[in-house]
Amino acid sequence: MLALAAVLAGCGKTNMQRPEVHGEPSPATPPQHTILPGSSESSGIATGNTIRVGGEGPIQDAAAVATAIYPGLTPATRPQAVVIVGSTEWPAALAASALAGAPLRAPILYGSSSGLPAATSAALAALKPTGAQALGGAQVILVGPVAKPSGYSTMTVQATDPYALAGKLATIVQRLDGNHVGAAIVAGTGQPDALAMPAAGLAAESGAPILLVEPNAVPASTTAALEALGNPPIYAIGPAASISEADIATLESSGRTTRVGGGDLVQNAIKVAAFTNGTFGWGIQEPGHGLAFARASSPFDAPAAAPLSANADYAPLLLLPSGEAVPLPLKRYLKDIQPGYTSAPESQPVRGVYNRGWVIGDTTAVSLGVQVELDALLRSVPRQSAYPSPSVAP
């Protein structure tokens, strides 16, 4: 049965302006819960195994995710810095997702050169970033042509094209990681954007920077960035439609390159979630994980959801081609990793592991029926024997 919850920060419906009493919230005065600008009554719907975060679009979705991860009600729940990237700058947003990873773990918000949307302003005020000492105390990192919010210490990252911009962001990731980067992620800028969406969460989970290539060319700025990173192992996200074999061959000269993913947009996201190589990647082929679900036609939801991959249950992003149905490959994958229990004393539900789903966007993006179906595929179920063998190879 659905629980319609005005679920504190997780629903994106909380005004997290807290009363200040010596810098701490008063225990006698709980925070007031309201709907963030752009959110709707369909955000925050919870089932036994899912929670919906977001609102009417990626701007609201990013604000809801950010405040779910960082409620901002205590010093420990405030981020060091917040990233604000242009709401129409897809390659920049994708590359900026790496800043959601450790050690910065900065949430992603969206803005524009003309100002900040109401949901972004409200979230920024709620988050109260403390300032990243490794970045000169910057509280807000502006990526691309974004209006500077007043009252915050800011740093701006700009470049003449998205490939050079990704290189500059990679330099920041390298600096934050003590000038050592263990891997680099490469994503394509060709169509459809959905083939590159899983790179956002993988960068946040791994802390690896994202660099960009054209459909059939590796820009000189990308090659230079890889050299500056020390030519680390490269993970190219997506099938040949996104990153060509010629691109792979060129990348090999800059570091050992492994293609991760393949197939259509649904299969590609599943393969990224299932992939592992040593300590790199999720390798999710068994139950006991968080998972995020977004509509493939909303690419900006990938950077928005990236903080979910670097905090809490470290959820990879899985894609829905339509908000009205769960595709068969995704059903099969979720059944492969569905928690189960038997009648054996050591296998009772109370001793088991569980899956949890984050549904990104309101019910116009992903229907309530799909959320309920996902809930059923995530819940722990009785089994006669051990879990089935995964059908998805890494």
Side-chain angles (χ1 to χ4, degrees), residues 223-306:
T223 302
L226 288 167
E227 182 178 353
L229 294 174
N231 299 114
I234 300 167
Y235 295 92
I237 306 303
S242 181
I243 300 178
S244 68
E245 289 299 330
D247 283 350
I248 296 291
T250 302
L251 289 169
E252 281 283 0
S253 64
S254 296
R256 177 173 48 84
T257 303
T258 303
R259 186 188 296 277
V260 181
D264 65 18
L265 60 92
V266 175
Q267 296 165 331
N268 184 60
I270 292 170
K271 289 180 178 181
V272 172
F275 178 82
T276 185
N277 183 17
T279 59
F280 183 87
W282 280 283
I284 295 180
Q285 301 182 54
E286 71 290 309
H289 299 281
L291 304 162
F293 302 91
R295 191 162 177 165
S297 59
S298 184
F300 283 88
D301 275 345

Side-chain angles (χ1 to χ4, degrees), residues 359-384:
V359 180
I360 309 301
D362 64 15
T363 53
T364 64
V366 179
S367 73
L368 187 56
V370 166
Q371 182 177 0
V372 170
E373 187 172 2
L374 291 172
D375 176 86
L377 291 164
L378 295 171
R379 74 177 57 152
S380 183
V381 295
R383 295 186 185 276
Q384 297 298 317

Side-chain angles (χ1 to χ4, degrees), residues 18 23-25 72-79 128 130:
R18 58 185 175 128
E24 294 295 328
L73 298 175
T74 66
T77 59
R78 296 162 59 189
K128 302 181 183 68
T130 60

Side-chain angles (χ1 to χ4, degrees), residues 34-56:
T34 61
I35 298 175
L36 282 176
S39 294
S40 67
E41 291 295 349
S42 67
S43 62
I45 297 172
T47 66
N49 304 284
T50 69
I51 179 69
R52 185 184 293 268
V53 287
E56 63 186 30

Side-chain angles (χ1 to χ4, degrees), residues 338-352:
Q338 187 168 25
Y341 58 92
T342 69
S343 58
E346 67 274 11
S347 183
Q348 293 301 298
V350 71
R351 301 179 185 278

